[in-house]
Amino acid sequence: AQNHNTDQYLYRPSAILSHYIHWTFRASFTFVFLSSLLLYYAINLIFALLLLEAGRNQPECIPVSGDKFGTIAHTSLSDAFALSWNTFTTVGYGMSYTSTGNNFGKDTRPEECSGVVFLCTAEAFVGLLYAGMCTAVMFGKVHRIQSHHAHLIFCNAVCLQYEEVESDDVDDDENESASDEHREDEWFDDKVDSISAVNESRLSWDLEESDPSNDEENPSMKAAAQENEPVTFVDQFNGCPVLKFQVVNMLANKEGSEMVDAIMKIIGVKLKTKGDVITQSQYVRVNLVDYEHPFFSKVWHGVHVLDSNSTLLTNSARKKIQDNGGSWPSEWFKPKIIHDILDFEDLVVTVAGISSVSAVSGYAYKRYKKGDVLIGFNFAPLVFENDRTGLLEVDMSLAHDVREQQGGGGEDLRRGALKRHSSIRIQSSSVH
């Protein structure tokens, strides 16, 4: 039965045209160009066949190089095709054209050659529409490239920390002096074995303690250290672990490549089951410590606190945290237990803002699986001082690297026991 609900079926575009336009946004420029060229030839050929028939019926209406149409019989189709594409593109070379009254003299009838003229007029109109459609498709693909911030790199892993103290977990964009950045980078190169969650990655397990006042990601920690006020993990997030998401601006080392008024949003995907059958998927909002960045230029860390209000924990875990005064019970700080109380299947991270390069609003996103969460790890320091220019730059080769948290206790990734639902691969080696 037909549904005549005007609110639902107010707009009914052509199914074929709609599918083709949507396909052009998914296909490459090469395939879109080839498809447009093929369609161009097909339309011209259709009109050429119509003009061929019209020329045979009225050969005097289509002069070809001064002669009547069909004077050379075996070139009639090519002559008709020449007139077709000349008319379709409005080029008008003049080698073939439609006759006018002057070609017949004073005794010509008003309707003379009207069929050929009408056919060419219709083809010219179709040609203008086709040119506009091709232009719109190409413009849309270019705009899509501008709107999709492909220069943003999402780390392939999500870090879950429960020991390392950090007080600028919102971002790492030029919050510290160049000298501090340089000292941190030297400490990392000399003493830390990095862990990477990418195809060609590095993995190790020993981590020595460092002076937190020199940590790249903790400018406020320097002030705390200077004031002799030690900050513990419990003081920072009331003893609750945090999930960290890292986004890197791939154009960070070039001037004028910032993202203005950037916003990071995260949603969690939960699957509801009945027995062994998945009955529905549920989307939950994941709150961040700070979801806005007015001037994103280098590295941004989105942070979610796994407290009693977190939507990524089981209901029983949230109640236990609430009963424990808002803190995690001490016996929970083990990778296996933490993994069991995390309640989600996927995490979708989106970043939107205005690009300083194109001045166009755009976005980028990444989907993480539960196994992409590395428990007891932190992201590797990326920002360093360029010895030649004295400017802060980002080491893009470390964009996917992580390291074990300073307090230790990271899960043993070499076993792979908890990585069954992960989209990353881990390869180990040591950095000295």
Side-chain angles (χ1 to χ4, degrees), residues 79-110:
D79 292 339
F81 190 82
L83 177 60
S84 177
W85 74 260
N86 271 265
T87 305
F88 189 84
T89 60
T90 68
V91 170
Y93 278 137
M95 53 189 179
S96 58
Y97 52 91
T98 58
S99 297
T100 62
N102 291 334
N103 295 96
F104 300 98
K106 296 181 180 180
D107 297 332
T108 182
R109 293 172 297 174

Side-chain angles (χ1 to χ4, degrees), residues 163-273:
E163 286 292 342
E164 187 168 345
V165 176
E166 297 189 80
S167 52
D168 75 327
D169 278 327
V170 178
D171 64 81
D172 295 341
D173 270 341
E174 302 183 52
N175 289 328
E176 54 284 299
S177 66
S179 59
D180 287 333
E181 290 282 356
H182 187 55
R183 288 197 298 271
E184 157 62 3
D185 191 61
E186 290 177 342
W187 170 83
F188 175 76
D189 287 341
D190 293 339
K191 298 185 179 181
V192 181
D193 290 335
S194 68
I195 301 173
S196 174
V198 289
N199 293 341
E200 297 185 11
S201 55
R202 299 181 294 279
L203 176 64
S204 64
W205 304 102
D206 297 327
L207 175 68
E208 298 182 17
E209 293 291 340
S210 69
D211 179 5
S213 64
N214 281 336
D215 190 23
E216 167 205 353
E217 300 169 303
N218 299 295
S220 60
M221 279 297 300
K222 299 169 188 173
Q226 292 173 356
E227 297 173 4
N228 295 322
E229 296 179 359
V231 178
T232 65
F233 178 80
V234 175
D235 295 332
Q236 188 178 29
F237 294 113
N238 196 25
C240 295
V242 294
L243 278 179
K244 291 181 64 177
F245 306 84
Q246 178 172 276
V247 185
V248 181
N249 186 351
M250 194 166 58
L251 304 178
N253 299 331
K254 299 180 180 179
E255 293 186 4
S257 302
E258 301 82 7
M259 181 183 290
V260 182
D261 292 335
I263 296 177
M264 180 185 296
K265 293 184 179 180
I266 302 176
I267 59 172
V269 181
K270 299 183 178 183
L271 299 181
K272 300 299 181 181
T273 60

Side-chain angles (χ1 to χ4, degrees), residues 281-318:
S281 60
Q282 178 184 6
Y283 292 84
V284 295
R285 184 182 300 276
V286 179
N287 295 323
L288 297 176
V289 174
D290 195 341
Y291 65 92
E292 294 179 316
H293 199 315
F295 201 69
F296 175 29
S297 62
K298 287 182 172 59
V299 184
W300 187 3
H301 285 164
V303 177
H304 171 70
V305 183
L306 296 170
D307 54 16
S308 59
N309 296 317
S310 173
T311 56
L312 302 182
L313 299 177
T314 61
N315 292 331
S316 59
R318 294 167 62 180

Side-chain angles (χ1 to χ4, degrees), residues 384-393:
F384 67 96
E385 180 185 7
N386 189 311
D387 294 332
R388 184 174 58 85
T389 63
L391 300 176
L392 296 180
E393 295 186 0

Side-chain angles (χ1 to χ4, degrees), residues 328-346:
W328 274 40
S330 57
E331 63 272 14
W332 281 10
F333 292 98
K334 296 178 182 179
K336 183 63 172 66
I337 297 178
I338 295 176
H339 181 272
D340 291 340
I341 64 177
L342 292 177
D343 183 24
F344 63 89
E345 291 295 324
D346 296 318

